[in-house]
Amino acid sequence: MRTVKIGLLGVGVVGSAVAKAIIDDRGTTERSGVKLELARAAVRDLSKQRAVDLSPELLTADPHDVVSNPDVDVVVELMGGENPAFELITAALSSGKHVVSANKEVLAKRGDELLATATQSGAQLIYEASVGGGIPILNTISNELLANRIESIRAIINGTTNYILTRMSGEGAAYSDVLADAQRLGYAEADPTADVDGFDALYKIAILGQLAFGTSAPVDGIHREGIGRIDARDFRYAEELGFTIKLIAAAQRTEAGLLLRVHPSLVPLDVPMASVNGALNMVEVEGDLVGPLWLQGAGAGPEPTASAVLGDVLNVARTASNGASQSSIDPLPLAPMVGHHCQYYLRLTAADQPGVLAQVATVLGDADISIRSVIQMDTDETAGQADLVIMTHSALEANMQEAVSRLRSLDVVVELDNLIRVESY
Ligand code: NAP
Ligand code: HSE
């Protein structure tokens, strides 16, 4: 039986669940042959009430007390954010301590530097919980799927936005009420704009892209859109057309290289992703040998995330070699979003008068975009306006962007309310 002493950086939503699972044990020691002990825990505010009872001697307001503490074997970083997490993880790794982290932001932005420090010092840096909450996706890619050439990853990978979209779609719930519920349930980031504006999903797809395709993408070079423009009408219209709306993050091998993208998408109602609801996540991975795989589970929340964090801690304690590691495959170059091809859903508020459709169709036709269907939805007779919903055949993103700017300049188009890409299956 080995005893491993844990130093926690952060005792918030996830840190409290990790501390509680260590204290309660629930047979983990017997199953794993490793006894976990909490040695030190850093927080910002020592007087704050916490979801776990910790003796005051364990707590410190100085995180360096954790990373440079000789009693600590493994540092578990659950603070979030780029700084001071980057500096603290670097200090821990440099002194030979293994680090387990759930912090996708620091890993997406500075993962290369951190992994280089780990390689230099011989310490392990592993971070299963940073992507997909409780779903063991990083280990699956870096170990179980190692014999495969990964072709594509497509995922619902942010629990907060999936929870919000699910409730907007099912109950027509108001965006702000639902976000408050997601925060209360412990799904949202400390600053929830990271969720709703798509940054969290972007960090996660950057980590997956690095692991599966060897490509380290600068996070500001990845196409990102949040869910802010989606409203109840889009769900209604999408459903009439046979789709629902999900925030999709994708990393796909294309002829031009690796295309990374995060944006709301229309997803056909009859594919597995369409029924992934609430804070659940789903990652669809396609390998050349295994074909498509779908991994689904709790993508956010204290206990599922603690499951992934403690799995990493036990792996490090038992072997100091398992877990996600830096990819050594030849990196694919990054492909630009303007080369993406897909069908599009366009929602316009347009003047309800003769000739409008012809003008809109001409702009699309001139940009080499073929229309699949046009439906006139809600009509506001007083204002003399109507919602036009256009579905296109597959078109080039660059052409669609050009058409969008020309549509916006038409007098008969009052507002181009939404442009949503359609996932193909
Ligand atoms: P959280 O509730 O905001 O907790 C952050 C903790 O870190 C708090 O205990 C805070 O102290 C402490 N902290 C922050 N800055 C500090 C500093 N400079 N010095 C000392 N302590 C500091 O966040 P969380 O939801 O647990 O998330 C933690 C990490 O896990 C983030 O990287 C997040 O992205 C990731 N993650 C979260 C989930 C989830 O479902 N929530 C799932 C997967 C991954 P105080 O308590 O005193 O403020
Ligand atoms: N805020 C994140 C989410 C937590 O909603 O998915 C899990 O990484």
Side-chain angles (χ1 to χ4, degrees):
M1 171 82 64
R2 279 191 62 195
T3 298
V4 171
K5 297 198 173 158
I6 309 294
L8 271 184
L9 293 173
V11 190
V13 171
V14 180
S16 296
V18 166
K20 189 164 183 319
I22 292 174
I23 294 163
D24 293 349
D25 191 58
R26 307 155 9 271
T28 305
T29 304
E30 209 177 353
R31 280 192 298 278
S32 65
V34 177
K35 168 115 191 80
L36 301 180
E37 246 179 57
L38 260 185
R40 206 89 175 108
V43 293
R44 231 174 345 212
D45 176 358
L46 288 170
S47 65
K48 204 189 251 183
Q49 189 81 14
R50 303 200 177 266
V52 61
D53 250 347
L54 292 182
S55 93
E57 303 86 72
L58 274 181
L59 290 175
T60 172
D62 179 3
H64 291 278
D65 267 4
V66 172
V67 294
S68 56
N69 191 318
D71 280 346
V72 168
D73 302 311
V74 177
V75 170
V76 176
E77 186 273 306
L78 302 169
M79 299 165 68
E82 183 178 355
N83 289 305
F86 175 76
E87 178 234 325
L88 294 165
I89 297 173
T90 302
L93 292 169
S94 303
S95 68
K97 292 189 198 308
H98 303 305
V99 176
V100 170
S101 175
N103 183 342
K104 46 264 157 140
E105 181 173 355
V106 76
L107 287 156
K109 290 181 174 168
R110 315 287 297 273
D112 285 352
E113 293 162 77
L114 292 173
L115 286 162
T117 305
T119 306
Q120 233 169 26
S121 74
Q124 290 284 311
L125 168 63
I126 56 176
Y127 41 89
E128 181 62 69
S130 64
V131 181
I135 304 174
I137 181 63
L138 301 190
N139 261 309
T140 301
I141 289 174
S142 52
N143 293 316
E144 308 309 326
L145 298 181
L146 205 49
N148 284 261
R149 186 176 98 137
I150 303 294
E151 303 296 344
S152 85
I153 298 176
R154 247 185 329 193
I156 294 171
I157 211 163
N158 179 267
T160 303
T161 45
N162 203 45
Y163 177 83
I164 293 172
L165 293 176
T166 302
R167 291 204 35 206
M168 283 174 76
S169 136
E171 312 159 24
Y175 183 97
S176 54
D177 294 350
V178 188
L179 174 59
D181 284 349
Q183 288 178 293
R184 185 178 46 75
L185 291 163
Y187 305 149
E189 294 300 300
D191 172 1
T193 55
D195 297 296
V196 294
D197 289 346
F199 289 101
D200 180 81
L202 179 150
Y203 299 146
K204 291 167 175 169
I205 202 67
I207 292 170
L208 286 169
Q210 204 286 327
L211 207 59
F213 301 91
T215 306
S216 291
V219 291
D220 48 11
I222 300 175
H223 181 88
R224 173 191 56 80
E225 290 170 37
I227 62 166
R229 293 187 73 87
I230 308 292
D231 80 18
R233 269 176 306 176
D234 292 311
F235 281 106
R236 191 153 47 86
Y237 300 161
E239 198 165 337
E240 285 186 30
L241 294 160
F243 296 91
T244 188
I245 303 169
K246 297 289 184 189
L247 183 71
I248 298 290
Q252 290 167 308
R253 189 184 288 275
T254 70
E255 278 176 14
L258 178 67
L259 178 63
L260 295 165
R261 55 188 174 92
V262 173
H263 52 75
S265 285
L266 259 64
V267 172
L269 284 168
D270 60 356
V271 304
M273 281 217 182
S275 41
V276 175
N277 290 325
L280 286 177
N281 281 190
M282 178 180 272
V283 186
E284 175 191 281
V285 191
E286 187 161 352
D288 63 342
L289 294 177
V290 74
L293 285 178
W294 291 270
L295 286 89
Q296 178 179 347
E303 284 80 20
T305 310
S307 158
V309 168
L310 288 172
D312 275 357
V313 171
L314 292 167
N315 266 329
V316 153
R318 290 210 298 189
T319 67
S321 67
N322 269 349
S325 54
Q326 190 166 28
S327 173
S328 56
I329 49 185
D330 272 350
L332 279 180
L334 273 180
M337 185 66 184
V338 286
H340 184 49
H341 275 91
C342 67
Q343 289 178 249
Y344 294 84
Y345 157 107
L346 268 166
R347 173 161 65 83
L348 313 171
T349 306
D352 191 15
Q353 65 190 46
V356 171
L357 262 183
Q359 289 189 49
V360 170
T362 301
V363 167
L364 292 171
D366 287 350
D368 207 18
I369 297 166
S370 163
I371 295 174
R372 182 174 174 165
S373 68
V374 182
I375 316 175
Q376 179 163 328
M377 299 287 195
D378 295 358
T379 304
D380 178 346
E381 278 171 18
T382 325
Q385 294 174 358
D387 281 356
L388 274 188
V389 172
I390 300 171
M391 290 290 284
T392 74
H393 286 289
S394 189
L396 182 67
E397 176 81 16
N399 293 351
M400 182 49 90
Q401 291 305 340
E402 187 196 316
V404 160
S405 70
R406 292 188 49 208
L407 286 172
R408 286 206 163 105
S409 68
L410 289 181
D411 287 345
V412 292
V413 172
V414 180
E415 183 77 52
L416 198 156
D417 301 288
N418 227 331
L419 170 77
I420 309 179
R421 294 168 190 85
V422 180
E423 292 300 315
S424 62
Y425 285 85

